[in-house]
Amino acid sequence: MRTALVPRPSIEMLVLQSTPFCNLDCSYCYLPDRNSKRKMSMATVERTFEKVFRSPFLSGHLTVLWHAGEPLVPGPAYYADAFAVIERLRPADLVVSHSIQTNATLLNEEWIDLFRAHDVRVGASIDGPPEINDRNRKTRSGGGSFEQTMRGIRLLQEHRYPFHVITVLTQQSLQQPQQLFDFYVANGIERIAFNVEEIEGVHGTSSLSGEGADRNVRRFYETFMALTESTGAKIEVREFVGAFDAIARPESASYGNPLAEPLRTLSIGANGEISTFSPELLGYASPRHGHLVFGNIHEHEIADVLQDPTFLAVSEEIASGQASCRTSCEYFSICLGGSPANKLFENGRFDSTETLFCRLSKKAVIDVVLGRMEAELHLAL
């Protein structure tokens, strides 16, 4: 029987889908089942952590990310129960950190008390001022979500609870770096991550796939970086920090690519479905491999994934794609082969190479940061 050609995988991030449901209806959402109101049962939570904790694939730290739907929908009491189950089962020598990515519309003081009690890292999704945000981030009745999300963000700020913001960049927002910058500064938002609008899952098109997108993304990043530097604003951009680190510290490449390596990112669906590699693959099928589910937590051990025939075929195809990237792309030493989900959704295969996502999220950022570092070096000489 074949097994995955990895010496000993290590689970670093466990992505849990407490519910696939979302109370918003964002135009660029990739989730295939966001109308379903099912929840991950406490039995599934317990079975998940029993099997993850007794697997041979743990190091000293595990990050648990509640995602793939609006995670606040089940309510604070649900998470209080889940955290109690996890803590009861947690090995004494294992550190478990929790993260939640939320649209912030359901936040209240009870949530913040729960976050503080369990040191939960919080990410809030907002795309900028209302004229930008409400174009795509709509409620289920078709209205804008800006005011509801900002109410949640202001609550976090009033309670001095740390958070970061994720903003999706569309063709519209790329034209307004100044407006976005002013919005963050005016609202005291200091930690930002930019996600480009992706072709992913049920979102089969992107406003950034047209001619000139690469140029527009680079111009946006150049302008935004210049604004942060010229004003001295206390704004940290995930993409800039990551690219600076990767360029200045080549040894960081030894960390590898968690999205392309088995089990480093492990996803569990609301019904106990097991997937790995890019979390966005959960709930989807490949034309070549069928449904990208490699077991169920109620029926299988984590180690069983490494012998699942679908997993083995997918793993080989992902590795082949990485090898092709290595030989064909000058950015490989920093990008390390990109995201398998984007290769599948854009190119139809895991063993493909360049995607819109890698051009706009990786190459464009690297070019801008490298240009800035070269300019600083020139000035220093």
Side-chain angles (χ1 to χ4, degrees), residues 49 53 60-64 86-87 90 94-98 118:
F49 283 92
F53 286 161
H61 183 268
L62 176 68
T63 297
V64 179
I86 296 165
E87 185 59 23
R90 180 182 63 83
L94 177 68
V95 176
V96 175
S97 300
H98 292 275
H118 297 276

Side-chain angles (χ1 to χ4, degrees), residues 73-368:
V73 165
Y78 174 92
Y79 284 94
D81 290 344
F83 292 159
V85 168
I86 296 165
E87 185 59 23
R88 172 169 55 83
L89 297 171
R90 180 182 63 83
D93 58 348
L94 177 68
V95 176
V96 175
S97 300
H98 292 275
S99 296
I100 281 181
Q101 185 62 39
T102 173
N103 59 43
T105 62
L106 302 177
L107 280 174
N108 56 31
E109 293 189 359
E110 186 178 1
W111 276 114
I112 294 176
D113 289 343
L114 182 73
F115 294 161
R116 201 179 300 280
H118 297 276
D119 195 23
V120 179
R121 297 170 185 168
V122 177
S125 299
I126 191 167
D127 286 354
E131 63 272 16
I132 299 177
N133 181 85
D134 290 349
R135 183 182 178 92
N136 296 293
R137 300 189 61 80
K138 296 183 181 297
T139 66
R140 286 186 167 264
S141 62
S145 63
F146 177 82
E147 289 301 331
Q148 295 176 53
T149 297
M150 279 306 300
R151 182 196 58 79
I153 287 175
R154 292 188 187 103
L155 195 63
L156 289 167
Q157 292 173 325
E158 289 168 7
H159 287 265
R160 299 184 181 278
Y161 199 86
F163 67 97
H164 67 269
V165 155
I166 291 182
T167 291
V168 174
L169 296 176
T170 64
Q171 186 61 34
Q172 181 200 27
S173 54
L174 285 182
Q175 312 305 316
Q176 303 180 71
Q178 182 73 60
Q179 290 89 332
L180 281 174
F181 178 80
D182 291 344
F183 165 75
Y184 300 132
V185 171
N187 289 281
I189 296 171
E190 298 181 346
R191 297 169 58 220
I192 304 157
F194 289 122
N195 288 352
V196 298
E197 182 189 355
E198 301 173 45
I199 298 172
E200 196 168 54
V202 297
H203 186 58
T205 61
S206 170
S207 65
L208 302 181
S209 58
E211 185 178 351
D214 297 61
R215 179 181 64 253
N216 292 338
V217 168
R218 283 176 171 80
R219 183 184 299 129
F220 174 88
Y221 285 137
E222 287 169 349
T223 303
F224 200 92
M225 184 182 293
L227 287 168
T228 61
E229 292 176 345
S230 64
T231 62
K234 294 181 179 179
I235 289 181
E236 177 183 282
V237 179
R238 177 191 63 186
E239 285 64 39
F240 298 161
V241 172
F244 271 114
D245 189 58
I247 294 168
R249 296 178 56 248
E251 67 274 13
S252 65
S254 63
Y255 176 67
N257 183 347
L259 298 181
E261 298 171 28
L263 299 188
R264 286 186 68 177
T265 302
L266 181 68
S267 301
I268 309 294
N271 292 333
E273 312 94 318
I274 303 173
S275 189
T276 186
F277 306 114
S278 302
E280 296 84 0
L281 296 176
L282 188 67
Y284 282 100
S286 156
R288 287 163 52 79
H289 307 294
H291 287 287
L292 300 170
V293 172
F294 310 130
N296 189 287
I297 204 69
H298 291 285
E299 302 170 8
H300 302 94
E301 298 292 331
I302 304 302
D304 294 340
V305 170
L306 301 180
Q307 298 180 355
D308 177 81
T310 302
F311 164 81
L312 289 166
V314 169
S315 184
E316 288 180 4
E317 193 169 302
I318 288 173
S320 178
Q322 280 190 289
S324 296
C325 287
R326 183 188 299 274
T327 59
S328 65
C329 182
E330 61 182 334
Y331 295 80
F332 181 83
S333 63
I334 297 176
C335 175
L336 300 176
S339 164
N342 292 96
K343 291 183 177 184
L344 176 67
F345 293 131
E346 291 192 41
N347 301 332
R349 300 177 62 104
F350 292 114
D351 56 2
S352 58
T353 54
E354 185 180 76
T355 62
L356 177 74
F357 172 79
C358 81
R359 293 201 334 261
L360 304 185
S361 289
K362 301 295 183 181
K363 294 181 179 182
V365 179
I366 292 168
D367 286 346
V368 169

Side-chain angles (χ1 to χ4, degrees), residues 17-21 33 36-40 269-271 273:
Q17 185 184 54
S18 57
T19 178
F21 181 77
D33 201 18
S36 172
K37 294 187 178 181
R38 71 181 186 273
K39 292 191 298 185
M40 179 180 284
N271 292 333
E273 312 94 318

